[in-house]
Amino acid sequence: MKKIAVLTSGGDSPGMNAAVRAVVRKALYHDIEVFGVYRGYTGLIEGDLKPFHLGSVGDIIHRGGTILHSARSEEFKTTEGQLKAVKQLQDRDIDGLVVIGGDGSYRGADKLVEHGIATIGVPGTIDNDIPGTDFTIGFDTALNTIIQAIDKIRDTATSHERTFLIEVMGRHAGDLALWSSLAAGAETILIPEVPYKIEEVIERLERGTRREKKHSIIVVAEGVGSAIKIGEEIKSKTSLEPRVTVLGHLQRGGQPSAFDRVLASRLGAFAVELLLSGKKGLSVGIESNQLVYYSISEVLKRKHTIDETMYQLSHHLSI
Ligand code: ADP
């Protein structure tokens, strides 16, 4: 292997820059030429890539977002689009590719493997929904952003003795909601992995009111549905006037945490090591703080699950 390329794709996450830096520096350390591909698969199809050197990734380890930019490409979902991307790599004699992104980006990476490109996936998403790793790059930073927001909302919730619903990201996964609820001491958590009944939520709120609780915080994972609608339902069935905050895209931005920078550095460098040892079609991750890898196709077949004991714990601690 003499030349590799790296791209970031799909939803961005804090720490992607640290991962790009690790891929580039590790490749250069081993005297491998490395190309940065701009705008994910869109840029790959269009040939928007250029050789990177040590300075190309200087001063980015602490920055959120991705200097390579990201994109969503409908064209890449077609075989024609994928073959255009393959040709761009072949024309430059690039033999390996590192894709940093979420599960959609992994599906794209899997197609490139089928077309003969040695590709390694690095899990970059705030959602923590990629099987085969305990944590994805960006999850820890997003979690910290969420709990800062909940702490602030808690102040005003206490002052006004109000019920707040806070909608957090996570797509179909409840990890951000689960971990942030535990970390911020929310009273109720609604996640897609555990069905809920609105009557039970209301009963919890009323139990809190009976014991003169001053406020209540309900964290809603976006995968459950709209927190605004759930708030309206609670309002129509109780005397409460719940307030709703949808945290939205602020969860995606910001300086990556130390944890995400270290994780990204380890996973990015590991991806290059795997390419150099002739491996392909793999997803890298950490389990119990050890670097691991699984085949991308296996990761795509597996279903992400939550840690049920953490869900029970959040209930036990917020009675
Ligand atoms: P994420 O990687 O954050 O999950 P997306 O789901 O938007 O983000 O996927 C990013 C990109 O990956 C898509 O815009 C598309 O180009 C590519 N992709 C997603 N699914 C497929 C697929 N089934 N086949 C080929 N490419 C795909």
Side-chain angles (χ1 to χ4, degrees):
M1 184 137 320
K2 285 272 167 277
K3 282 187 198 174
I4 67 167
V6 56
L7 62 80
T8 51
S9 165
D12 65 334
S13 70
M16 277 185 162
N17 278 328
V20 171
R21 174 181 177 271
V23 170
V24 171
R25 295 254 164 115
K26 183 76 171 170
L28 295 174
Y29 175 81
H30 290 289
D31 288 326
I32 303 294
E33 262 186 80
V34 57
F35 288 71
V37 183
Y38 291 94
R39 296 178 295 124
Y41 294 128
T42 303
L44 195 57
I45 288 172
E46 294 172 6
D48 190 6
L49 57 162
K50 68 173 191 199
F52 268 28
H53 48 85
L54 286 176
S56 309
V57 290
D59 214 17
I60 65 166
I61 195 167
H62 61 300
R63 281 164 56 188
T66 160
I67 59 155
L68 289 177
H69 299 261
S70 191
R72 295 201 154 95
S73 166
E74 282 307 308
E75 190 181 0
F76 191 77
K77 291 185 179 170
T78 66
T79 307
E80 208 183 21
Q82 292 153 19
L83 292 177
K84 279 189 201 167
V86 168
K87 186 165 184 319
Q88 294 288 1
L89 293 169
Q90 287 171 343
D91 285 351
R92 293 167 179 80
D93 295 323
I94 295 171
D95 344 88
L97 177 70
V98 177
V99 170
I100 304 165
D103 67 339
S105 304
Y106 268 40
R107 276 174 221 291
D110 200 35
K111 294 289 173 198
L112 286 174
V113 177
E114 281 175 25
H115 295 305
I117 301 293
T119 307
I120 302 286
V122 174
T125 164
I126 65 167
D127 302 338
N128 209 37
D129 60 350
I130 307 267
T133 186
D134 290 343
F135 298 106
T136 57
I137 297 164
F139 174 67
D140 182 68
T141 306
L143 192 57
N144 279 287
T145 303
I146 293 168
I147 64 164
Q148 278 173 23
I150 298 180
D151 289 350
K152 287 176 181 151
I153 288 169
R154 178 193 281 273
D155 289 344
T156 177
T158 310
S159 305
H160 290 274
E161 305 188 10
R162 279 204 205 281
T163 294
F164 264 86
L165 289 97
I166 301 167
E167 184 182 308
V168 303
M169 282 184 165
R171 292 219 281 197
H172 306 296
D175 285 52
L176 278 173
L178 179 56
W179 284 66
S180 61
S181 290
L182 258 178
E187 279 75 16
T188 304
I189 161 178
L190 305 181
I191 54 175
E193 292 86 349
V194 184
Y196 75 97
K197 289 201 183 82
I198 196 73
E199 290 73 24
E200 282 169 14
V201 174
I202 290 171
E203 165 55 23
R204 272 175 89 82
L205 291 171
E206 285 171 345
R207 224 169 35 225
T209 311
R210 281 199 295 275
R211 63 180 180 90
E212 296 182 351
K213 226 171 140 14
K214 294 290 179 228
H215 64 261
S216 194
I217 289 173
I218 304 170
V219 175
V220 181
E222 67 178 349
V224 165
S226 160
I228 295 172
K229 287 218 175 97
I230 298 169
E232 280 165 4
E233 201 176 353
I234 292 173
K235 187 172 177 203
S236 71
K237 292 181 172 164
T238 65
S239 58
L240 296 168
E241 298 241 1
R243 296 289 188 263
V244 182
T245 303
V246 179
L247 293 183
H249 281 79
L250 71 84
Q251 297 163 87
R252 288 256 199 90
Q255 283 198 318
S257 66
F259 181 87
D260 276 328
R261 296 181 203 190
V262 172
L263 177 66
S265 300
R266 292 175 75 191
L267 296 185
F270 189 41
V272 174
E273 270 174 29
L274 292 176
L275 282 176
L276 291 183
S277 66
K279 297 207 164 56
K280 60 185 173 189
L282 300 175
S283 164
V284 294
I286 53 161
E287 287 176 343
S288 305
N289 205 26
Q290 300 299 308
L291 290 165
V292 294
Y293 60 79
Y294 295 95
S295 85
I296 292 176
S297 48
E298 185 191 332
V299 164
L300 286 172
K301 273 187 225 128
R302 270 165 66 181
K303 200 175 151 15
H304 169 73
T305 52
I306 54 148
D307 183 340
E308 302 247 344
T309 62
M310 281 182 58
Y311 182 78
Q312 300 302 340
L313 180 63
S314 82
H315 257 258
H316 295 167
L317 300 188
S318 60
I319 37 174

